[in-house]
Amino acid sequence: MTGSKSQTPWRVGVLFSSTGVTAAVERTQQAATLLAIEEVNASGGVLGRPIEPVVLDPASRPPRYRELAKQLCDQAGVAVIFGCYMSSTRKAVLPVVEAHRALLFYPTLYEGFEYSPNCVYTGAAPNQNSVQLVRYLTSHFGKRLFLIGSDYVYPYESNRIIADLFRQAGGEVLDEMYVPLRVADIDMPKVIRRIEAAQPDVVYSTVVGDGIARFYEAYGEAGFDQQTHPIASQSTQEAEIAQMSARAAAGSITAAPYFSTLQTPANLRFVAAWRKRFGTGLPITACAESAYFQVMLYAQTLERAGSDRLEAMLPHLHEHEFDAPQGRVRIDQENHHTYLWPRVARVDAQGVFQVVDDPGLRVKPDPYMYENRFDPLAGRPA
Ligand code: ACM
């Protein structure tokens, strides 16, 4: 290391895939992480020291995430990693960071029902997206539900939670099926046959990655009209919408804390900085926004802790808020998940998410759904 000690960088790992089945969304997370690091460094770094990202590509494969996380901890000497999209990849990295007393910042919506002291969860837990989504779907489209997902942990668990919430709302699950992550292995005619047989009001999809666009196209080509019988999906964001025709996307629904059309001053500034840095070709996603603000929360924590070691960081993680593009966010002391601002949005004819339900409320994370049963009036202003 050259330069004085005060210039020694804070080295961090950046572990998002730029190749493989989930590269489209993970590229947006990597970009957001680097944008935030550049902004922190441009304003003087943390305690006068710059953040130095070590960027690796785990190719959307869980074993590769584990190997590269080990490499980051053992060889690059990092104590903090920003990374992971699929829950299977987070679960591959967690034992590594736990064994190394390191910290993973995870910026992706997920199925909940997990806690590690070595992880900070900045994407939505099910009480911050699924409850709001089911309320919207059952009040606007009906109660007959078809579930489809990719074949790994997040889809199985998220579908279970959505099914529970639907049943609590008086709804019924007609059928449930899983498809391989590898697009070439998906039997799309079989998927369509099962949906045609079930005749649902709504399809809830936890298909993940490159298969999403193929599924939405096939649904439209089979004659389903999303204006009346939408696909709802929390794993379909702007990055995946950009992979399909506007016709296939129009009418589909999601729930997330962030959409790039929000008019908050913090978001207008974020969108302008993104466009300046990456142009208009790289979509802004909710997972990118989490990836952005979690770097800011890390920097604020580090400023207070004075060291990036786990023991020094942990007591300070929850003490501060950041004015994120979605609204003010902070980390919960007990469960390491984040207070977020749930919203529901629908894709318009141009392929853009338009917010259709925004209660303007920040929701405490409840990853074990301890206090969150279905309540049609919950989260409404009195
Ligand atoms: C996910 O696997 N958490 C999208």
Side-chain angles (χ1 to χ4, degrees):
M1 200 75 52
T2 56
S4 67
K5 186 163 183 290
S6 70
Q7 286 302 305
T8 307
W10 303 104
R11 189 178 279 178
V12 296
V14 178
L15 208 49
F16 295 107
S17 295
S18 41
T19 58
V21 73
T22 52
V25 63
E26 294 200 52
R27 272 196 218 110
T28 74
Q29 294 178 297
Q30 186 199 81
T33 305
L34 297 179
L35 177 64
I37 290 173
E38 286 164 15
E39 288 184 4
V40 172
N41 288 346
S43 63
V46 181
L47 301 171
R49 297 163 56 180
I51 303 172
E52 178 191 70
V54 181
V55 181
L56 299 173
D57 173 15
S60 306
R61 293 193 295 114
R64 197 65 190 135
Y65 277 82
R66 177 167 311 187
E67 288 160 17
L68 294 182
K70 275 178 107 163
Q71 190 176 310
L72 285 167
C73 294
D74 286 335
Q75 291 164 32
V78 312
V80 171
I81 296 174
F82 300 103
C84 301
Y85 177 77
M86 282 188 284
S87 290
S88 49
T89 67
R90 181 189 72 257
K91 285 185 183 292
V93 166
L94 278 181
V96 178
V97 291
E98 285 171 359
H100 287 81
R101 302 196 58 70
L103 191 55
L104 171 69
F105 281 81
Y106 176 61
T108 306
L109 68 124
Y110 88 111
E111 64 279 5
F113 295 86
E114 185 181 289
Y115 165 76
S116 165
N118 299 71
C119 189
V120 174
Y121 305 78
T122 58
N127 79 300
Q128 296 168 315
N129 55 14
S130 302
V131 170
Q132 296 75 12
L133 184 62
V134 170
R135 186 189 305 134
Y136 186 80
L137 295 175
T138 52
S139 58
H140 288 83
F141 296 101
K143 299 196 169 168
R144 293 164 51 81
L145 180 68
F146 186 98
L147 296 166
I148 183 168
S150 298
D151 188 12
Y152 76 96
V153 58
Y154 160 73
Y156 280 99
E157 278 293 291
S158 179
N159 286 1
R160 178 185 66 75
I161 292 161
I162 291 281
D164 270 1
L165 292 168
F166 248 81
R167 289 192 189 103
Q168 287 165 34
E172 143 184 46
V173 176
L174 305 168
D175 198 0
E176 173 171 2
M177 70 182 295
Y178 292 88
V179 296
L181 267 171
R182 221 174 77 97
V183 186
D185 296 339
I186 301 176
D187 183 349
M188 207 53 82
K190 182 174 166 193
V191 171
I192 296 300
R193 277 198 304 277
R194 295 262 295 261
I195 299 174
E196 281 168 346
Q199 298 202 353
D201 297 324
V202 176
V203 174
Y204 177 64
S205 170
T206 46
V207 176
V208 163
D210 292 340
I212 294 171
R214 264 206 64 204
F215 171 50
Y216 280 51
E217 297 286 356
Y219 189 74
E221 283 159 16
F224 292 105
D225 180 359
Q226 290 219 50
Q227 295 311 319
T228 50
H229 295 77
I231 302 173
S233 169
Q234 301 176 130
S235 53
T236 305
Q237 302 183 9
E238 291 83 344
E240 293 82 11
I241 296 290
Q243 293 179 308
M244 62 183 85
S245 63
R247 204 169 138 267
S252 61
I253 295 171
T254 194
Y258 173 80
F259 296 95
S260 61
T261 47
L262 295 177
Q263 295 298 307
T264 62
N267 187 45
L268 296 175
R269 198 205 62 73
F270 173 62
V271 171
W274 182 282
R275 301 264 190 257
K276 183 159 177 241
R277 178 71 174 76
F278 307 114
T280 51
L282 188 67
I284 311 177
T285 62
C287 288
E289 192 250 2
S290 302
Y292 174 81
F293 78 66
Q294 69 175 12
V295 171
M296 301 306 186
L297 290 174
Y298 153 83
Q300 288 179 333
T301 306
L302 186 55
E303 187 108 35
R304 288 160 185 262
S307 157
D308 65 358
R309 299 298 115 175
L310 184 72
E311 300 70 23
M313 295 274 284
L314 282 185
H316 300 287
L317 269 174
H318 60 275
E319 285 175 350
H320 46 88
E321 297 200 337
F322 178 70
D323 188 18
Q326 67 174 274
R328 296 191 75 79
V329 295
R330 74 178 176 89
I331 297 163
D332 185 77
Q333 183 172 12
E334 284 175 6
N335 62 38
H336 279 201
H337 290 61
T338 309
Y339 285 70
L340 300 173
W341 298 78
R343 297 170 168 110
V344 177
R346 195 160 193 207
V347 177
D348 68 14
Q350 281 69 49
V352 178
F353 278 114
Q354 300 297 343
V355 175
V356 290
D357 185 26
D358 186 351
L361 290 176
R362 189 168 80 166
V363 173
K364 178 180 161 63
D366 180 16
Y368 289 90
M369 298 287 276
Y370 186 66
E371 290 175 1
N372 280 272
R373 310 314 297 157
F374 183 79
D375 172 357
L377 297 177
R380 302 267 135 210

